[in-house]
Amino acid sequence: MKLYRALRNVGSFRNVFDFGGRDVAHWFPGHMAKGLKQMRANLKSVDCIVEIHDARIPFSGRNPVFQESLDVRPHLLILNKMDLADLSSKQRILKKLEKSGVKNVLFTDCLKQRDDNVKKLVPLVVDIIDSKPRFNRDENTNYCLMVIGVPNVGKSSLINSLRRTNLKKGRASRVGGEPGITKAVLTKIQVCQRPIIHLLDTPGVLPPKIESVETGMKLALCGTILDHLVGEDIIADYLLYSLNRLGKFSYVEKYELQEPSDDIQHVLKRIAVRLGKTQRVKAITGVGNITITVPNYSAAAYDFIRTFRKGELGQVMLD
């Protein structure tokens, strides 16, 4: 009866997220503009473009500038972080991408020590390249690929995974949980010996104008935009809204809630209490100032978002 009542209450949760007139920051620092210029300059030595994106948002946030300026080469789209995505609608995704002209798609988990899909990349890329003209590079027996994508989708992780898989060597590119680790186009990095394949790592480049606030929030939730530019509180609230909308209630057990909730303040308070995240603040009263202990909502919001990004709240598909 308790479970029935809890799920019945879900029916009254928000169907639309109120952004309150907010606008997502257009995160386009100088190194991004410079990086895009360098990408164009290096195209003459590139046989294939490898675009990598977050599998949880296969449509949202892909940079249209890439298609406009770099799509003169054969193109492979890699949807990374597949371990975090609900791929029950995989065929729908592939059909929709094919309608938009993207036919070569590969799902990967580049942080996995051995990913069978990463093994498929080299043969797939070679087939793609050999099926089209090589732009005056026919005399070369080696291949050069350019890895592109928005920030923090796993470009450097892909390079390191390919080196680990094909060369049995360690990482060549620095990786991190924050967007913006790679600041400029790097030198060629070899990722395969037979055939010889080099990759060009590139900085993550967001669209100069994000198409909608909803798209921007999905990008922020997946860690593509720096949290402080949007605000952890609004990202946490959008996360709660998204989980409830998708029927993903694992946060209830994770943070020992009584039932699903649509109130982010209630959820963050419970998280703060559960994790011991409190802070002491001064309160002004009629008889003087006193110090009281209150939940640290910022720390709770940070933990809620981080837990989602690590996949501890289940697999989701935001698009």
Side-chain angles (χ1 to χ4, degrees):
M1 182 62 70
K2 183 179 179 182
L3 177 61
Y4 171 77
R5 186 171 65 252
L7 293 179
R8 184 183 62 189
N9 291 338
V10 169
S12 64
F13 287 179
R14 292 169 289 180
N15 293 319
V16 177
F17 189 81
D18 181 11
F19 293 103
R22 294 181 178 89
D23 191 10
V24 177
H26 297 153
W27 193 54
F28 201 65
H31 78 265
M32 289 189 177
K34 180 181 177 183
L36 192 57
K37 185 177 180 181
Q38 287 180 303
M39 289 180 214
R40 293 190 185 109
N42 279 275
L43 270 181
K44 60 182 180 295
S45 63
V46 172
D47 295 302
C48 182
I49 299 292
V50 178
E51 180 188 354
I52 185 164
H53 200 62
D54 195 311
R56 293 169 293 183
I57 46 173
F59 312 113
S60 292
R62 289 180 58 211
N63 193 338
V65 176
F66 290 151
Q67 282 91 316
E68 294 166 10
S69 60
L70 302 178
D71 216 15
V72 294
R73 295 292 186 275
H75 180 272
L76 170 65
L77 174 63
I78 292 181
L79 293 175
N80 191 38
K81 305 185 181 183
M82 61 178 288
D83 56 310
L84 305 178
D86 180 359
L87 296 182
S88 59
S89 57
K90 182 177 178 180
Q91 291 306 312
R92 173 186 68 85
I93 294 168
L94 291 174
K95 287 180 181 178
K96 187 172 179 180
L97 286 170
E98 186 172 4
K99 282 184 178 180
S100 67
V102 182
K103 298 181 180 179
N104 302 305
V105 183
L106 193 64
F107 289 83
T108 62
D109 174 11
C110 291
L111 292 182
K112 192 175 181 181
Q113 194 64 27
R114 294 180 64 84
D115 182 4
D116 290 337
N117 285 349
V118 171
K119 292 181 182 178
K120 298 176 184 177
L121 190 145
V122 168
L124 180 57
V125 162
V126 171
D127 285 344
I128 292 172
I129 294 173
D130 289 347
S131 66
K132 295 186 178 182
R134 289 192 65 197
F135 300 93
N136 300 318
R137 284 175 48 78
D138 286 334
E139 71 282 359
N140 289 350
T141 57
N142 59 337
Y143 300 95
C144 181
L145 318 178
M146 180 181 288
V147 182
I148 64 173
V150 299
N152 202 29
V153 289
K155 295 181 296 298
S156 297
S157 295
L158 172 66
I159 291 175
N160 295 333
S161 180
L162 285 168
R163 284 175 58 82
R164 188 168 61 243
T165 300
N166 299 313
L167 298 178
K168 313 303 179 189
K169 292 186 178 181
R171 70 184 193 182
S173 287
R174 184 184 167 203
V175 298
E178 276 194 357
I181 292 295
T182 304
K183 298 294 184 182
V185 177
L186 303 179
T187 55
K188 290 182 179 180
I189 302 171
Q190 185 172 354
V191 295
C192 189
Q193 181 62 34
R194 294 181 181 177
I196 296 176
I197 296 180
H198 291 85
L199 292 187
L200 286 176
D201 194 6
T202 63
V205 180
L206 278 172
K209 183 177 181 181
I210 296 172
E211 63 182 74
S212 70
V213 178
E214 186 87 27
T215 293
M217 198 57 66
K218 290 177 183 178
L219 289 167
L221 184 53
C222 291
T224 295
I225 300 174
L226 287 169
D227 291 345
H228 73 268
L229 294 178
V230 181
E232 281 92 347
D233 56 341
I234 185 71
I235 297 174
D237 194 18
Y238 185 76
L239 170 57
L240 180 64
Y241 159 77
S242 299
L243 292 174
N244 288 336
R245 179 176 58 86
L246 296 168
K248 304 284 187 178
F249 304 119
S250 57
Y251 68 89
V252 175
E253 181 179 358
K254 173 71 176 179
Y255 293 113
E256 299 179 359
L257 275 67
Q258 294 296 314
E259 60 186 21
S261 174
D262 199 31
D263 182 352
I264 188 60
Q265 295 301 312
H266 169 73
V267 173
L268 293 183
K269 182 177 181 180
R270 181 61 218 170
I271 293 174
V273 171
R274 168 86 167 75
L275 301 178
K277 303 284 187 180
T278 58
Q279 57 186 348
R280 295 174 66 81
V281 299
K282 286 185 178 181
I284 301 175
T285 69
V287 294
N289 298 345
I290 61 173
T291 301
I292 59 175
T293 300
V294 298
N296 189 330
Y297 288 99
S298 295
Y302 172 77
D303 187 88
F304 190 34
I305 297 166
R306 185 186 62 174
T307 300
F308 164 75
R309 289 174 181 164
K310 290 167 64 178
E312 295 178 10
L313 297 180
Q315 297 173 317
V316 301
M317 179 60 66
L318 296 172
D319 277 346

